[in-house]
Amino acid sequence: MTTDVTKKDKPWLFRTYAGHSTAKASNELYRTNLSKGQTGLSVAFDLPTQTGYDSDHELSRGEVGKVGVPVSHLGDMRALFDQIPLEQMNTSMTINATAPWLLSLYIAVAEEQGADVSQLQGTVQNDIIKEYLSRGTYICPPKPSLRMITDVAAYTREHLPKWNPMNVCSYHLQEAGATPEQELAFALATACAVLDDLKSKVPAEHFGAMVGRISFFVNAGIRFVTEMCKMRAFTELWDELCLERYGVEDARYRRFRYGVQVNSLGLTEQQPENNVYRILIEALAVTLSKNARARAVQLPAWNEALGLPRKWDQQWSLRMQQILAFETDLLEYGDLFDGNPVVDAKVQALKDGARAELALIDDMGGAVQAIEYMKGRLVEANAERIGRIEQGETTVVGVNKFTTTEPSPLTTGDGAIMVADADAEADQIARLEAWRGARDEAAVQAALAELREAALSGANVMPASIKAAKAGATTGEWGLVVRKAFGEYRAPTGVSRNPSNRTEGLEEIRAAVDAVSSTLGRKLKFVVGKPGLDGHSNGAEQIAARARDCGMDIHYEGIRLTPAEIVTAAQEQEAHVVGLSILSGSHVPLVEELMERMRAAGLAEVPVVVGGIIPEEDAAQLRAMGVAAVYTPKDFELNRIMMDIVGLVQAQKVAAE
């Protein structure tokens, strides 16, 4: 049988997730990638932008331009999309708490370009619930956050009918340790919470079409068969929910539309060249099955566990997609797995597990009410995942098996890893100050007052946000209005301070903890802190949970603390050791400030340990500041870290005597 290649399916959108340093530098990167055949943009914003702070805020120090591009005002958004016609683009913006604001800036720039706003295509992630569970860039409590999600959806229905107003993100759930069943259930529960709230904001005759505009952003891990079956289960469960729960009759609106980034969690610092194979296998999981094929795919770079990828590294990931789409015959055939008994059985098992989890969440009142439950489940599942790797039950090539290696020529020499521009933060702040000085302050304040009124009255926040964007308001000013109107929020950590029953295999460490605690005269006190705006809390949670299981007295308050707050906690808790987790690349300035404050507070003798994605030259710098130990992703054996901590406290006690 021959295939009519004239009917070959269109490929998915090719994206790379990108943004760094400044809007101008990121614009150059976007235009380069588009010239190489990328067909959609995927914008990464820095942490101050994601959490509603200006680049010169105290909490922004060291975070500006690190994990994405800083966008503080309309001028930054103009520069970001300079010479890129937005009416012709399909733009994904990975933004959540500040999604109404960034979409407002995007609309304002599109209008300046002369675009027909009704033709704009793209997505704002706009999923706050997973921020409470796994990513940490929330601002407000759950209920007003949900309200702003549906405000965006209702506004786009009327003014941007081709725009996806919400991208339910299960990607970070898997990064936080979710099982496939949990990933399915927690994401679908989030979508249901949004749709339940949206029903009152759009006319009934338009509700089905709005259901059709909800998209998903998922993760594809290395367990290829499971991940492919998970996507088929997602497709079938979403169709079922849309039809049975929401009465959506039109099959077009029940289609499960998703974009994907394949798993960054599984990328290894050890033998990083192996990550190329991992990325390809994970990409196959979301492209081989036609009936569950991704609508857009973005692949990480092979060296993301080491630091910022270079342009060449991103090009390599893009070429992988292009070879799969254009050189193979994948797009010439129907679904390869329909009727396969193994696949059918696995899909059914995943659906059954997800339905059971969904029923539990529904019994609690839905996703918003179940946040603490879901967070606890993720922390436990992640602990089990890490334990399996430590014990060798799960093989990770180059990490816990086949660890002998030749030196990699890809990771040696000058420029092997891109380094963030050290002057980018100062440049961004200078331009921010100039922007404030040149704008019409009265117009800004009037627009912000209108935004405040909309927030307090229950009116849709989008029109006032767009007006504030055009007037010249800043991200921090928009964020401050929202904070004052709705209040701030600290999400549950998922780490109980209660004694744990998970003690198997920890006997030696528990004995060592008991011995040093006896010498100290009280239980070893371990303060775990996350300074700065980095919300990736998985590592801190697992360190705190393992320390608890080993018998230490832990103090962990969660994310987004200033160095001053962590030092205060160390004083009040009479800490024997302080552990910091920083994955945003901001470790040098944040640790420097913390160490200065520790010395000023008379805590210079308390050992400080730091974990994160930290290049060796930076690790040496941290040790020179007085940091006792530095851990990176290659240090996957948590029990060894626990014994190190005991040793540090023991040594400090001996030195003090």
Side-chain angles (χ1 to χ4, degrees):
M1 175 181 168
T2 59
T3 302
D4 183 357
V5 294
T6 62
K7 294 184 179 179
K8 187 173 181 177
D9 293 337
K10 287 183 179 179
W12 51 91
L13 285 170
F14 303 151
R15 286 181 171 143
T16 51
Y17 182 52
H20 65 86
S21 302
T22 64
K24 182 181 178 183
S26 297
N27 171 263
E28 291 170 0
L29 178 62
Y30 295 163
R31 288 191 286 115
T32 297
N33 287 345
L34 289 169
S35 72
K36 292 177 179 177
Q38 185 173 303
T39 53
L41 294 176
S42 182
V43 183
F45 295 98
D46 74 353
L47 289 174
T49 305
Q50 291 185 51
T51 48
Y53 293 107
D54 282 333
S55 298
D56 57 356
H57 191 277
E58 176 193 10
L59 278 168
S60 301
R61 182 175 178 236
E63 305 281 17
V64 177
K66 283 284 170 58
V67 302
V69 57
V71 176
S72 293
H73 47 74
L74 183 59
D76 284 340
M77 192 64 99
R78 277 186 201 131
L80 186 62
F81 293 109
D82 182 42
Q83 299 178 62
I84 298 175
L86 296 186
E87 193 173 328
Q88 299 172 29
M89 277 295 107
N90 190 307
T91 304
S92 171
M93 293 193 285
T94 303
I95 199 75
N96 295 284
T98 53
W101 175 243
L102 272 296
L103 181 57
S104 296
L105 291 170
Y106 189 87
I107 290 169
V109 169
E111 288 184 356
E112 287 183 349
Q113 289 185 356
D116 178 352
V117 170
S118 69
Q119 297 303 306
L120 295 181
Q121 296 185 70
T123 304
V124 274
Q125 194 167 98
N126 203 21
D127 177 357
I128 289 296
I129 291 177
K130 65 94 179 170
E131 296 299 316
Y132 303 128
L133 300 178
S134 55
R135 183 59 187 85
T137 67
Y138 55 80
I139 297 175
C140 303
K143 285 187 178 178
S145 294
L146 184 64
R147 170 252 176 114
M148 287 194 286
I149 290 173
T150 52
D151 276 1
V152 170
Y155 185 86
T156 59
R157 182 204 70 79
E158 194 170 352
H159 301 284
L160 285 79
K162 295 183 176 183
W163 193 269
N164 297 321
M166 196 241 182
N167 193 235
V168 181
C169 180
S170 70
Y171 175 86
H172 291 101
L173 300 180
Q174 187 177 127
E175 296 273 293
T179 65
E181 293 85 353
Q182 289 170 346
E183 188 180 344
L184 287 163
F186 294 0
L188 292 171
T190 296
C192 289
V194 170
L195 291 177
D196 289 347
D197 193 67
L198 183 60
K199 270 198 242 182
S200 63
K201 293 188 177 182
V202 299
E205 64 270 24
H206 294 295
F207 183 72
M210 284 307 300
V211 172
R213 299 268 15 123
I214 300 295
S215 61
F216 289 74
F217 185 70
V218 306
N219 199 331
I222 194 64
R223 291 174 57 80
F224 163 76
V225 176
T226 298
E227 293 297 316
M228 188 270 294
C229 291
K230 180 189 76 181
M231 297 321 307
R232 290 174 70 96
F234 248 139
T235 299
E236 294 175 20
L237 284 168
W238 181 241
D239 184 79
E240 181 182 297
L241 273 171
C242 291
L243 183 62
E244 297 177 6
R245 182 166 180 149
Y246 297 108
V248 179
E249 297 290 342
D250 192 328
R252 291 175 302 162
Y253 299 149
R254 302 198 306 267
R255 182 184 167 208
F256 185 79
R257 298 177 312 114
Y258 77 99
V260 64
Q261 169 152 325
V262 307
N263 193 5
S264 293
L265 177 68
L267 302 185
T268 64
E269 182 180 358
Q270 304 94 319
Q271 301 179 28
E273 60 277 2
N274 295 340
N275 293 329
V276 174
Y277 309 130
R278 294 184 176 105
I279 292 165
L280 175 59
I281 290 167
E282 291 163 355
L284 290 173
V286 294
T287 54
L288 279 184
S289 177
K290 180 178 179 178
N291 293 342
R293 183 171 293 149
R295 186 168 176 266
V297 177
Q298 58 193 47
L299 303 181
W302 66 281
N303 56 353
E304 283 191 14
L306 305 178
L308 283 174
R310 300 156 298 182
K311 290 180 181 179
W312 183 86
D313 304 315
Q314 292 193 330
Q315 174 185 297
W316 200 8
S317 288
L318 176 61
R319 294 293 183 255
M320 190 184 297
Q321 292 203 60
Q322 291 167 329
I323 290 167
L324 183 59
F326 297 123
E327 292 193 21
T328 77
D329 57 356
L330 172 64
L331 299 177
E332 296 171 18
Y333 294 90
D335 197 285
L336 306 178
F337 300 98
D338 281 355
N340 183 301
V342 174
V343 170
D344 288 348
K346 182 63 177 176
V347 169
Q348 190 59 48
L350 289 171
K351 286 165 62 177
D352 290 345
R355 285 195 193 100
E357 196 73 65
L358 265 173
L360 274 175
I361 295 169
D362 276 339
D363 287 345
M364 295 176 191
V368 169
Q369 288 74 19
I371 284 171
E372 190 163 357
Y373 162 77
M374 292 190 287
K375 180 65 175 178
R377 292 275 285 166
L378 289 176
V379 171
E380 289 297 308
N382 206 13
E384 291 169 7
R385 180 191 68 83
I386 291 170
R388 288 192 296 272
I389 295 172
E390 285 183 291
Q391 293 155 23
E393 294 175 22
T394 297
T395 295
V396 183
V397 173
V399 173
N400 63 359
K401 200 168 185 179
F402 313 116
T403 55
T404 56
T405 182
E406 297 298 321
S408 169
L410 293 175
T411 59
T412 57
D414 290 341
I417 296 295
M418 181 175 158
V419 177
D421 182 356
D423 298 324
E425 183 168 335
D427 175 62
Q428 173 69 11
I429 290 172
R431 284 183 292 100
L432 173 60
E433 291 170 350
W435 176 267
R436 290 195 192 109
R439 67 188 185 177
D440 182 339
E441 193 62 30
V444 170
Q445 294 307 319
L448 291 173
E450 202 170 307
L451 173 63
R452 190 175 300 111
E453 176 59 29
L456 293 172
S457 69
N460 193 306
V461 299
M462 281 300 296
S465 294
I466 294 169
K467 188 169 183 179
K470 292 177 177 178
T474 67
T475 297
E477 290 166 338
W478 184 91
L480 185 60
V481 169
V482 166
R483 285 179 166 88
K484 286 184 175 179
F486 301 134
E488 294 194 64
Y489 181 72
R490 184 167 287 281
T493 66
V495 182
S496 170
R497 295 185 186 179
N498 297 327
S500 170
N501 293 324
R502 189 190 287 119
T503 59
E504 186 179 352
L506 303 180
E507 293 83 5
E508 183 184 353
I509 307 172
R510 289 175 66 86
V513 171
D514 287 344
V516 77
S517 296
S518 178
T519 304
L520 294 167
R522 60 189 174 93
K523 193 176 281 191
L524 190 161
K525 187 76 182 192
F526 184 21
V527 170
V528 180
K530 280 197 65 63
L533 296 176
D534 171 35
H536 282 110
S537 57
N538 304 336
E541 290 157 3
Q542 292 307 312
I543 289 289
R546 183 63 60 86
R548 174 204 63 195
D549 296 346
C550 291
M552 299 182 199
D553 183 5
I554 62 163
H555 178 82
Y556 174 56
E557 295 179 85
I559 64 170
R560 216 179 299 167
L561 299 171
T562 64
E565 288 170 326
I566 294 172
V567 172
T568 297
Q571 280 183 303
E572 293 174 351
Q573 298 292 321
E574 297 182 335
H576 295 115
V577 62
V578 173
L580 307 178
S581 172
I582 309 167
L583 286 94
S584 65
S586 304
H587 38 268
V588 171
L590 290 172
V591 171
E592 184 176 31
E593 181 183 346
L594 182 128
M595 297 304 288
E596 289 171 359
R597 289 182 178 276
M598 290 283 282
R599 286 190 287 272
L603 300 175
E605 304 308 314
V606 176
V608 174
V609 299
V610 180
I613 300 175
I614 302 172
E616 181 49 43
E617 53 269 32
D618 285 2
Q621 196 174 344
L622 297 183
R623 293 186 196 101
M625 293 176 192
V627 170
V630 177
Y631 298 99
T632 68
K634 71 177 183 297
D635 301 299
F636 68 96
E637 295 175 302
L638 299 190
N639 287 353
R640 183 176 69 79
I641 295 174
M642 294 301 114
M643 285 300 276
D644 289 351
I645 289 169
V646 172
L648 287 170
V649 175
Q650 212 161 26
Q652 186 55 47
K653 174 67 176 171
V654 170
E657 292 172 346

